[in-house]
Amino acid sequence: RGCAEVCTEVCAQMGTDPESSNPPELRRSALYLLAEPDPARKAAGVTQLRSRFLQSELQLDCHTDLQAEAVLLKLPGRPAKPELVEPTLVKRRKMSSTLGRASMIAAICHIEFNAINLALDAIWRFSAMPPAFYADWLQVAQEEAYHFSLLSQHLQSLGHAYGDFPAHNGLWQLAERTRDDVLARMALVPRTMEARGLDATPAIQARLQQAGDDAAGEILAIILRDEIGHVAIGNRWYGYLCQQRGLDPLSSYPALVSQYRAPRLHPPFNLDARRAAGFCDAELAALQNQNE
């Protein structure tokens, strides 16, 4: 189905007619798109949602608490496959084979699908933030949807589909642990988990290109470019929230890592990409020193 039909369906779920004089509301729309289980429909719906937002066809209510509505939905919406297993059970395959490359692309595809959900979750879940917060995370959601679509299409060219390979759910588990505190979410999802992608992507890109998969390499170049922006958004709102609460960003970060059991990061680090994403020299030094 097309983007317009998906958005119409979301509006119908909200009890709102998209042709009426009362346009849909952004945060509630994000909630219902988060509940959408079909990845292609979710990606298309997010694209349409941002298009309508940029055309001023959506309302934005920053203050309504949507928790009571959310408990009636199964969140996040996801397909029956891929099967979710423990990280240690996700098999590593050689890039020299088509199956191995497909397995790697599927793993990245799963990350991007989760990233769509995480951006949508930030929009509906955290009320009383400035309007720019919701605009930023809608941009992230749309770009993650674009990444997912690129990877999904490439996976099909390799004879496979998203869901063909088991995946793990570590990224969403951390989102669950930070669901009650927007500061923790900003510190530990974009600035930790997504920032790990800045470190890992160049090596994966090189391996795929060495295996002759230049198309995958080009897709990863797009993802790396955009993910720098996504981590920068996380850095910006983490800094804003620390300032609002009178906290020191540098000392607060390791405390949050410990409190919420976030993964410990290990080198090598993509320092250039991290600097471009807004990490200061003191943060990068602390990151490197933790492993000494």
Side-chain angles (χ1 to χ4, degrees):
R1 297 180 293 173
C3 294
E5 186 177 350
V6 174
C7 198
T8 300
E9 180 179 281
V10 170
C11 293
Q13 289 174 314
M14 295 188 297
T16 304
D17 180 357
E19 301 302 325
S20 75
S21 59
N22 296 316
E25 195 278 320
L26 173 61
R27 293 180 56 233
R28 184 169 282 109
S29 298
L31 172 60
Y32 279 91
L33 277 172
L34 178 60
E36 169 58 61
D38 183 270
R41 297 215 306 258
K42 190 191 297 274
V46 167
T47 301
Q48 178 70 3
L49 190 68
R50 185 162 187 246
S51 176
R52 296 194 71 178
F53 180 76
L54 293 176
Q55 294 173 40
S56 301
E57 294 178 0
L58 297 176
Q59 294 179 345
L60 174 57
D61 177 355
C62 300
H63 299 287
T64 297
D65 188 331
L66 297 173
Q67 297 285 346
E69 198 164 341
V71 298
L72 303 176
L73 303 171
K74 184 177 180 180
L75 301 176
R78 58 174 301 272
K81 291 184 176 182
E83 176 190 3
L84 298 182
V85 300
E86 291 299 317
T88 55
L89 298 179
V90 177
K91 294 182 179 179
R92 295 179 179 271
R93 294 183 170 91
K94 294 182 178 180
M95 293 280 196
S96 56
S97 69
T98 301
L99 185 64
R101 293 196 301 278
S103 175
M104 175 58 72
I105 296 300
I108 303 171
C109 208
H110 182 66
I111 292 170
E112 298 301 317
F113 179 71
N114 269 302
I116 301 171
N117 285 337
L118 286 164
L120 292 172
D121 192 73
I123 294 168
W124 82 262
R125 182 177 296 278
F126 300 117
S127 58
M129 292 293 286
F133 175 87
Y134 305 106
D136 276 350
W137 288 108
L138 181 58
Q139 174 186 335
V140 172
Q142 185 268 316
E143 290 175 352
E144 303 291 17
Y146 175 55
H147 301 164
F148 176 85
S149 299
L150 290 175
L151 290 164
S152 182
Q153 291 166 11
H154 186 60
L155 195 55
Q156 291 175 8
S157 76
L158 298 176
H160 292 275
Y162 174 61
D164 285 357
F165 302 90
H168 69 81
N169 205 33
L171 189 55
W172 189 259
Q173 288 170 352
L174 185 58
E176 284 289 331
R177 294 201 291 273
T178 58
R179 65 184 179 272
D180 295 325
D181 187 358
V182 63
L183 174 66
R185 176 67 66 85
M186 294 298 105
L188 302 178
V189 173
R191 299 182 77 252
T192 301
M193 302 301 285
E194 287 198 73
R196 288 177 75 179
L198 303 184
D199 303 326
T201 297
I204 297 171
Q205 182 182 18
R207 290 173 63 197
L208 287 165
Q209 289 174 324
Q210 288 169 3
D213 197 336
D214 291 333
E218 291 173 2
I219 293 170
L220 289 189
I222 293 170
I223 291 174
L224 179 60
R225 177 201 68 197
D226 291 346
E227 293 298 340
I228 289 173
H230 301 172
V231 176
I233 286 171
N235 270 322
R236 178 160 63 251
W237 291 108
Y238 174 70
Y240 167 86
L241 289 159
C242 284
Q243 183 179 38
Q244 292 287 304
R245 300 184 190 187
L247 300 173
D248 173 56
L250 192 60
S251 61
S252 296
Y253 177 73
L256 290 165
V257 169
S258 176
Q259 179 181 351
Y260 290 93
R261 308 188 310 281
R264 184 182 179 88
L265 303 182
H266 298 281
F269 301 115
N270 188 342
L271 298 179
D272 289 342
R274 284 175 173 269
R275 286 191 185 94
F279 285 97
C280 68
D281 288 340
E283 289 174 306
L284 296 176
L287 183 65
Q288 293 173 293
N289 292 337
Q290 74 174 359
N291 293 289
E292 294 182 355

